[in-house]
Amino acid sequence: MKTLRAAAGPFLERPYFKSEEIERICIDELQAAKLYPDAPSPVRIDRFIERKFNVTPIYNDLPEDVLGYTEFGENGVQAIVVSRALSEEGTKTAEYRLNTTLGHEAGHGLLHSYLFALAAQSSPLFNDEDVNSTKILCRNQGEPSPSTRKRYDGKWWEYQANQCMAALLLPKPLVAKCMIPFLENQGLLGIAVLPGAQRDHAINHVAGVFQVNPVVARIRIGELYPKSEEKQLVL
């Protein structure tokens, strides 16, 4: 990781992570917590939060547009709070969305705790309505999508937390194993690609195996097996 001086926003500096750095951080942390699955299966994200941060997720009544927040102190994460409505809805969709929200908040804990230690030392002006000196508030902006960067309006900390969420809930090596039945070797080099006819089947399968919403599985599969690769080999 390297850091950049923040030109705007609530933090004095902005951490910069390459995608592979986030992937490695998440796998290392899951393995350290003894929660990295032996085979494709759901990651116990609630247990990961307990073991890594020594806090138990709290379910509270929150404003309708707020999914949760992470609270920080001198020693890192002090609390992760999630909307009670998500935990009480009782549907599979809500359960999967709860996993996504917990993964997102865990991402803040892994990537951004040190920023609040810096804030305590320098007393910067927190001028974002969703970030104060101890807390990152995460609003309901819809599920992540390829246009996430635009929707976050420069809130890089939210984009990074979503990257971390995907790497925690859908570890790349496990997704690769899960995808084997849907891939075809194409081209002179026999590169494994995901045929268009198999994409929706693969998305639904991965979503069920890892217990995430299909839209999250779609984005993750799109990152690992871009449609452009198949087109290039066919042309």
Side-chain angles (χ1 to χ4, degrees), residues 52-117:
K52 173 61 183 176
F53 305 116
N54 200 29
V55 301
T56 300
I58 300 169
Y59 301 92
N60 278 349
D61 294 325
L62 298 177
E64 186 175 352
D65 67 333
V66 176
L67 294 175
Y69 64 84
T70 301
E71 189 161 356
F72 299 88
E74 293 181 1
N75 298 317
V77 175
Q78 284 196 327
I80 287 180
V81 181
V82 178
S83 170
R84 191 195 308 275
L86 282 178
S87 65
E88 293 182 346
E89 186 174 319
T91 65
K92 188 163 289 190
T93 298
E95 178 187 348
Y96 291 1
R97 196 170 193 199
L98 176 60
N99 290 341
T100 300
T101 301
L102 289 172
H104 179 95
E105 300 305 333
H108 282 308
L110 289 177
L111 303 183
H112 302 140
S113 290
Y114 86 96
L115 292 169
F116 289 83

Side-chain angles (χ1 to χ4, degrees), residues 177-229:
K177 289 182 180 180
C178 195
M179 291 290 293
I180 289 174
F182 303 97
L183 301 179
E184 291 183 2
N185 294 325
Q186 297 183 3
L188 295 176
L189 299 178
I191 296 174
V193 300
L194 177 61
Q198 292 289 344
R199 190 166 290 268
D200 286 344
H201 297 299
I203 288 167
N204 290 331
H205 179 68
V206 168
V209 168
F210 292 95
Q211 294 187 1
V212 299
N213 283 344
V215 66
V216 177
R218 181 183 298 276
I219 293 166
R220 187 64 163 153
I221 288 172
E223 292 170 348
L224 302 180
Y225 303 95
K227 293 181 179 180
S228 58
E229 287 188 359

Side-chain angles (χ1 to χ4, degrees), residues 19-24 26-28 30 36-37 39-41 43 163-180 183 206 210 220-226 229:
S19 296
E20 54 267 28
E21 286 183 277
I22 292 179
E23 299 284 347
R24 175 45 53 191
C26 291
I27 289 176
D28 287 348
L30 287 171
Y36 187 83
S41 58
V43 171
Q163 285 183 298
C164 207
M165 173 270 291
L168 284 171
L169 297 182
L170 296 159
K172 186 175 180 178
L174 296 179
V175 173
K177 289 182 180 180
C178 195
M179 291 290 293
I180 289 174
L183 301 179
V206 168
F210 292 95
R220 187 64 163 153
I221 288 172
E223 292 170 348
L224 302 180
Y225 303 95
E229 287 188 359

Side-chain angles (χ1 to χ4, degrees), residues 126-179:
F126 280 79
N127 58 2
D128 187 282
E129 63 178 350
D130 292 340
V131 181
N132 62 34
S133 60
T134 62
K135 188 184 301 181
I136 296 180
L137 193 71
C138 299
R139 296 187 183 275
N140 181 5
Q141 303 185 57
E143 296 286 358
S145 78
S147 62
T148 293
R149 288 181 183 269
K150 295 179 180 179
R151 275 217 306 273
Y152 287 153
D153 296 327
K155 295 183 179 181
W156 49 263
W157 54 94
E158 291 295 273
Y159 179 72
Q160 288 180 350
N162 262 354
Q163 285 183 298
C164 207
M165 173 270 291
L168 284 171
L169 297 182
L170 296 159
K172 186 175 180 178
L174 296 179
V175 173
K177 289 182 180 180
C178 195
M179 291 290 293

